Each structure stands twice: as C-alpha cells, then as structure tokens.
Amino acid sequence: ATPSIGIHDLALATSHHSLDLESLADHHGIDPAKFTVGIGQHVMSVLAADEDIVTMAADATARIIARNGTDGIRTLLFATESGIDQSKSAGVYVHSLVGLPPTVRVVELKQACYSATAALQFAVGLIARDPSQKVLVVASDVARYDLGSSGESTQGAAAAAMLVQANPALLAVENPAGVYTEDVMDFWRPNYRSTALVDGKGSIKAYLNAIGGAWQDYADQGGEPFESFASICYHQPFTKMATKAHRHLAVLNGQNPTPVEVAAYLEDTMRYNRLIGNSYTASVYVALASLLDHADDLTGARVGLASYGSGSVAEFFGGVVQPGYRDHLRREEHTAMIDTRVPLDHTAYEVLHKTTLPEDGREYRTTAERAGSFRFVGLNEHRRLYERG
Ligand code: CAA
C-alpha cells in the first residue's frame, strides 16, 4: 500500500524586532481597538537591518536539520513573494548556510501568499514517486506596506520550514485538493517597488471568492464534509480575515455560526499570527503550528488548510493529525522566539522601514544586530553576503 505522506516536522522563525500595534495606533491618532479588535492584530514582527527572508529561512531550516539530519533530502522548495533576486533562488543561499549536500535540488516558487501550498503538494508528488526521498519546503516572507498606508498595520515577517516525507509524525496530507485560479489585481508588487500595492477592500472580496471556489472544487471532487474538520487553518493576512473566510465557507455549507462560535473554532490557529503579523507564504503554516502547539489532543483529527495568494490562486485540502504528534512539536521554541523579540519604539521602526539597500550594488554593510545567528552582512559588487553565527 502507498504510505501516508505529509509534514514530519515544522519549525518557525521570525524577526529580531517587533512593534506593538498600540504604538502604531498612537502615532496615527487611531483607536488601538481598530487594530486589536477590528483587524485582530496585536504585535508585528519587524526585521533588523541584518535580516531578510534568507536569514529567517536558514534559522527555521537549520532547526529542522539539527533534529532530523539530512539523510534522504533531495529537494528544497523555497516559497516566497518577497524575493531578493530576479534570477537566483533564495533557497540556494539557505542550502549553503545550513550545510546541505550538493545532491539537493533547489528552486524558488512564486504566486503571492499561495506558493508554499503548491510546494507542499509538489513535495507530496515527488515522495509518492520515491517514498525514500524527503523534501524541505521553506516559506519565508516579509510583508511591507508604505508608512501611513492602510496596509501598514498588517505588516509582519516569518519563515516556516517543513520536512515532508512518507509516514510523517505530524500531519498526513489527504486527497483531493480543491483549487481555484482567477486573474485579479487585488495585491501586487511591481519589480521596481519594495512595498506592495493593494486594493484593500477588493483583496478581501477576492480572497473570499477564491477560497469559496477552492472549497467548491474540493467538494466537487468528493472531499470530506465541512463538519468533519476539527479546525481549519486559513491564510491570515490579519487574523480577522480568517474569521471572515470561515464564516463564508460555513454559510456556503448551510451553517450560520455566530461571531463568538467562529472565533472559538479558530482561536488556536490565530495565536501566533496575531503576534507576528502577515508572513505571506508562511502564514497558513504558522497557523498550523499554532493549532498543533496549542489545541487539546488532536490525534486522528482532520484539519483543513485554506491557502490564498492574491492575483489569485486558492487551495483547500485536508490532513490527518498523526498519533504521537505531540512529541514532535516545538511549542517552547516558538513561544521563546516570539517572546524574546526586541520591541522597537515608533521612531526606531520608521528609521528601519526607511532603510533601503543601495540600488547601484555598491559596497554596503548592515548594522550588526543578530550576533550569534544567521546574518545578512551587506553587499559587495552586487553580491549579497551572509554569515553563519
Ligand atoms: N474598534 C473596533 N473595530 C474597528 C474600529 C474600532 N475603533 N475601527 C474600525 N474597526 C473595524 C472595522 O469595522 C473593520 O472591520 P470589518 O472588516 O469587520 O468591517 C476593521 O476594523 C478594519 O477597518 P477598515 O475596513 O476601516 O480598515 P482599513 O480600510 O483602514 O484597512 C485593510 C483594512 C483593507 C485590510 C488594510 O489593512 C489592508 O489593505 N491590508 C493589506 C491587504 C490585505 O491584507 N488584504 C487581505 C486579503 S488579500 C490576502 O490575504 C493576501 C495578502 O496576504 C496580502
């Protein structure tokens, strides 16, 4: 019989700094409840000058390798929408920083916040062909919007690294997957910009429409009933969005849950994201880590994953939580990582936000803030320089 295939280990990483959204609200003269209640965010992760998507990804991946070794790993799929190079995959820098052998193929995937889910499905396919192989799926992103824009409070940064293999310890991925693609301009970042452009209200509508389409395709293909999901991890650009999406799917399935019921159903999936902010490709897997780390025993339970990437592509699929999964979690590690971030005051946050790399590739050194861990050191002759602490 074909073995089950899915997520064997899941490690998160986030930034060195954080910004309390109350200080952002104060600065803009906005009622903080708009952020904490209205969008459901309390704190956001902010990268130090010597961090980027590579250093976060290396952090998360190194911890996966420290626990599992590199045996059987033949592929690293890097998912991001805040890429650092138009040609070279950020995953190749990670491959080198964490010391993977040359016999690992590396490639980067892009479709806004969705591509880590494509990577996970591609990994499952590779392992179905050869169950002795393992695949690293690494999602890493920094969400940046212009200062003073309505998106500013939904910034954040994180990486999620997953080891995908046969007979996984955490979650066995089920068939079918429901998918939905539609060409919409709800959120995008042209090559010449470091911050995204977004049609805020339009993006919420596009998300709901696409997630509904993915659910419909899932159902049409003989997916499991909506009631059979113990919980659903939604892409969380801000946690309130997950509650909107869940209500939307519930109504499509003939239910009419109250806001309190929806919030209770999703609570464990939202604990990390409301303290980290949007992490684009990583967000739905941050939600999965949050659920597994916090929920009462989920052994044997079916969990839904609802992934959305603007532009747009959505996917819905289920997974079954594996016996003994609690021995493989990283709750203390994740909690410490979030709790030990260094808070910024609003002035320091603005200075960091305005710091950009020279566009002519000239010699440049970042300020050293992350002693002892992976660092983005600067530029030399258009080359990005990293070091391993
Ligand atoms: N107390 C409590 N609640 C308050 C409040 C107060 N004082 N003031 C406002 N609110 C509520 C509002 O009623 C609203 O709630 P509902 O949506 O439930 O009605 C909520 O707070 C937000 O208020 P606004 O709609 O007025 O907020 P805004 O227009 O300034 O910004 C946003 C909201 C459009 C989401 C903006 O943050 C944004 O553009 N974010 C980036 C885009 C985004 O994340 N889109 C999500 C879907 S796209 C996607 O998922 C891909 C991705 O990752 C980007």
Side-chain angles (χ1 to χ4, degrees):
T2 321
S4 62
I5 302 171
I7 303 170
H8 184 69
D9 193 7
L10 168 59
L12 308 180
T14 189
S15 61
H16 183 68
H17 290 300
S18 64
L19 181 74
D20 198 304
L21 290 189
E22 293 216 0
S23 74
L24 189 67
D26 272 0
H27 178 80
H28 291 301
I30 293 174
D31 177 358
K34 172 169 178 184
F35 298 155
T36 54
V37 179
I39 67 163
Q41 291 302 121
H42 291 244
V43 183
M44 67 193 193
S45 283
V46 180
L47 293 183
D50 55 349
E51 291 180 307
D52 66 4
I53 57 161
V54 169
T55 61
M56 286 191 297
D59 252 1
T61 308
R63 283 184 286 110
I64 296 272
I65 290 173
R67 184 185 280 182
N68 303 278
T70 60
D71 279 2
I73 299 176
R74 301 274 303 165
T75 305
L76 187 159
L77 302 175
F78 195 102
T80 190
E81 64 172 301
S82 36
I84 45 145
D85 195 291
Q86 300 289 358
S87 171
K88 180 167 175 158
S89 165
V92 174
Y93 293 104
V94 173
H95 175 277
S96 146
L97 284 168
V98 303
L100 284 166
T103 50
V104 175
R105 64 164 78 81
V106 179
V107 70
E108 184 168 307
L109 292 89
K110 177 172 67 187
Q111 174 30 54
C113 309
Y114 162 71
S115 66
T117 297
L120 175 58
Q121 295 291 6
F122 299 165
V124 170
L126 281 169
I127 297 159
R129 189 177 69 173
D130 175 1
S132 73
Q133 293 196 14
K134 301 177 184 181
V135 179
L136 279 166
V137 170
V138 187
S140 186
D141 267 307
V142 50
R144 276 170 55 85
Y145 299 91
D146 286 334
L147 294 172
S149 68
S150 66
E152 188 182 12
S153 56
T154 64
Q155 297 176 115
M162 295 180 265
L163 186 62
V164 184
Q165 65 172 63
N167 302 313
L170 299 180
L171 189 82
V173 171
E174 291 185 310
N175 263 335
V179 293
Y180 181 89
T181 295
E182 184 183 357
D183 184 4
V184 283
M185 292 305 279
D186 58 327
F187 171 104
W188 67 107
R189 182 169 67 85
N191 286 346
Y192 48 83
R193 288 182 60 100
S194 70
T195 53
L197 296 165
V198 61
D199 166 5
K201 300 281 190 262
S203 72
I204 293 173
K205 280 200 195 101
Y207 178 133
L208 294 178
N209 183 53
I211 223 70
W215 170 265
Q216 191 56 56
D217 183 46
Y218 176 77
D220 290 348
Q221 293 190 76
E224 301 294 337
F226 192 64
E227 304 71 46
S228 73
F229 290 90
S231 187
I232 299 176
C233 302
Y234 290 89
H235 168 55
Q236 295 174 15
F238 48 94
T239 63
K240 183 82 169 289
M241 188 68 226
T243 66
K244 290 177 192 284
H246 187 65
R247 178 153 175 86
H248 186 67
L249 291 196
V251 169
L252 285 181
N253 282 283
Q255 300 180 3
N256 187 19
T258 64
V260 172
E261 286 165 346
V262 171
Y265 182 80
L266 296 179
E267 175 56 19
D268 285 331
T269 73
M270 305 193 295
R271 293 179 191 272
Y272 289 152
N273 277 307
R274 75 162 63 95
L275 300 176
I276 288 176
N278 198 352
S279 58
Y280 292 160
T281 53
S283 159
V284 64
Y285 300 98
V286 173
L288 176 62
S290 179
L291 174 69
L292 297 177
D293 285 355
H294 294 98
D296 290 343
D297 191 5
L298 285 171
T299 304
R302 172 170 296 111
V303 166
L305 276 293
S307 185
Y308 174 70
S310 292
S312 67
V313 179
E315 178 160 338
F316 187 98
F317 66 97
V320 176
V321 180
Q322 298 298 289
Y325 78 99
R326 288 182 139 182
D327 299 335
H328 296 262
L329 298 178
R330 297 173 177 272
R331 181 179 169 154
E332 289 74 26
E333 215 175 288
H334 293 151
T335 308
M337 160 199 107
I338 289 170
D339 291 350
T340 58
R341 287 171 302 174
V342 179
L344 294 170
D345 62 24
H346 189 272
T347 309
Y349 151 73
E350 268 202 3
V351 168
L352 263 178
H353 198 285
K354 287 177 180 159
T355 306
T356 50
L357 296 179
E359 287 186 1
D360 57 4
R362 68 177 178 272
E363 191 73 21
Y364 175 82
R365 286 292 172 273
T366 58
T367 325
E369 297 188 72
R370 283 179 41 101
S373 42
F374 297 102
R375 291 191 55 237
F376 168 48
V377 182
L379 298 177
N380 171 253
E381 294 183 347
H382 295 279
R383 293 166 166 80
R384 289 176 89 91
L385 307 174
Y386 292 94
E387 69 181 24
R388 184 185 179 140

